[in-house]
Amino acid sequence: SQQGEEDPQALSIQEGENATMNCSYKTSINNLQWYRQNSGRGLVHLILIRSNEREKHSGRLRVTLDTSKKSSSLLITASRAADTASYFCATTSGSARQLTFGSGTQLTVLP
Amino acid sequence: EAGVAQSPRYKIIEKRQSVAFWCNPISGHATLYWYQQILGQGPKLLIQFQNNGVVDDSQLPKDRFSAERLKGVDSTLKIQPAKLEDSAVYLCASSPIMTLPLSYNEQFFGPGTRLTVL
């Protein structure tokens, strides 16, 4: 079963704008990861944030985590057409090393 | 470094037929995962191997799905017989062995096999 929900399901923006995607989950977690999936391709790991961290940056990516609200957000700044893809959050919890994925946000960046 | 390889990339079969997918993980990766991704949804774990042993297959429909990783390297996933609802992309992923139980495990995904059951 899916661990959480992502919001919005679809997002369309102009190149250069910022894109924000949200992820909510249900159980306590060890860490939360974000993955990108281009159409017809496998998933690519973007960034990981541990449960004791609140914010993390990587290039144009900024991830926040609020464990009290069981939610995370992914911000992509200065978006490019090449950022067009589906973005998934995934969590690990307990002693398991498996990832449980959300339902994804389809991001379209218009040139 | 070569990535995770999967074949075939596409497969179309009729219901009640059998199908098999192959995955070759990144060299040296001890852990291998098979996921099912239905259109519009996130991937769902079917089975996880550590070397040639099964770690978790709780979400594998064992009446029709089977998977093996006999030599602890490449793996096959089989569906027999297929149903319409098995139409999905089947993703294989691998990750290195973890020495600490709570260490994060970045998973490296293959391109997937898109299965269409008619």
Side-chain angles (χ1 to χ4, degrees):
Chain A
S1 61
Q2 305 282 279
Q3 160 70 298
E5 297 295 324
E6 287 173 71
D7 165 53
Q9 287 188 327
L11 177 63
S12 183
I13 60 174
Q14 294 293 136
E15 206 164 27
E17 294 181 336
N18 296 341
T20 300
M21 289 159 270
N22 303 297
C23 167
S24 60
Y25 55 90
K26 298 173 184 173
T27 63
S28 296
I29 62 171
N30 297 327
N31 62 63
L32 185 144
Q33 304 178 39
W34 286 89
Y35 282 79
R36 183 186 75 227
Q37 185 177 37
N38 291 85
S39 180
R41 309 286 287 274
L43 285 84
V44 174
H45 180 265
L46 294 176
I47 193 168
L48 174 144
I49 187 166
R50 291 188 169 85
S51 59
N52 60 353
E53 296 176 314
R54 291 296 167 258
E55 187 170 315
K56 204 160 184 181
H57 297 254
S58 177
R60 295 184 295 114
L61 305 179
R62 173 179 167 247
V63 171
T64 61
L65 179 65
D66 186 336
T67 53
S68 66
K69 295 181 179 178
K70 292 187 169 58
S71 68
S72 173
S73 67
L74 172 68
L75 169 67
I76 304 174
T77 60
S79 63
R80 305 166 182 168
D83 294 329
T84 294
S86 291
Y87 291 82
F88 294 90
C89 65
T91 57
T92 59
S93 56
S95 60
R97 295 173 192 165
Q98 297 100 352
L99 294 174
T100 304
F101 284 86
S103 51
T105 292
Q106 171 62 51
L107 173 66
T108 302
V109 181
L110 303 170
Chain B
E1 177 181 83
V4 176
Q6 289 190 247
S7 67
R9 290 295 312 277
Y10 305 92
K11 190 74 178 179
I12 300 174
I13 62 172
E14 295 189 348
K15 60 183 180 183
R16 290 188 289 273
Q17 285 187 324
S18 301
V19 65
F21 313 125
W22 175 82
C23 171
N24 190 24
I26 291 173
S27 178
H29 280 194
T31 309
L32 184 147
Y33 310 81
W34 282 103
Y35 290 87
Q36 179 193 58
Q37 185 178 22
I38 293 172
L39 186 65
Q41 298 182 18
K44 182 186 82 171
L45 180 70
L46 292 176
I47 189 167
Q48 176 186 352
F49 292 94
Q50 182 87 330
N51 298 309
N52 61 348
V54 175
V55 174
D56 186 344
D57 64 357
S58 57
Q59 298 194 82
L60 187 73
K62 298 180 186 64
D63 58 334
R64 298 183 301 105
F65 286 64
S66 64
E68 59 184 15
R69 194 185 183 199
L70 293 175
K71 296 182 180 179
V73 180
D74 55 350
S75 175
T76 56
L77 176 69
K78 297 179 182 178
I79 308 175
Q80 180 180 12
K83 293 185 175 181
L84 296 176
E85 59 261 36
D86 297 333
S87 293
V89 175
Y90 291 85
L91 295 164
C92 179
S94 69
S95 65
I97 192 167
M98 289 293 110
T99 55
L100 298 174
L102 297 183
S103 296
Y104 80 91
N105 59 324
E106 176 183 347
Q107 295 184 20
F108 298 82
F109 283 80
T113 296
R114 181 177 297 278
L115 174 67
T116 301
V117 182
L118 303 175

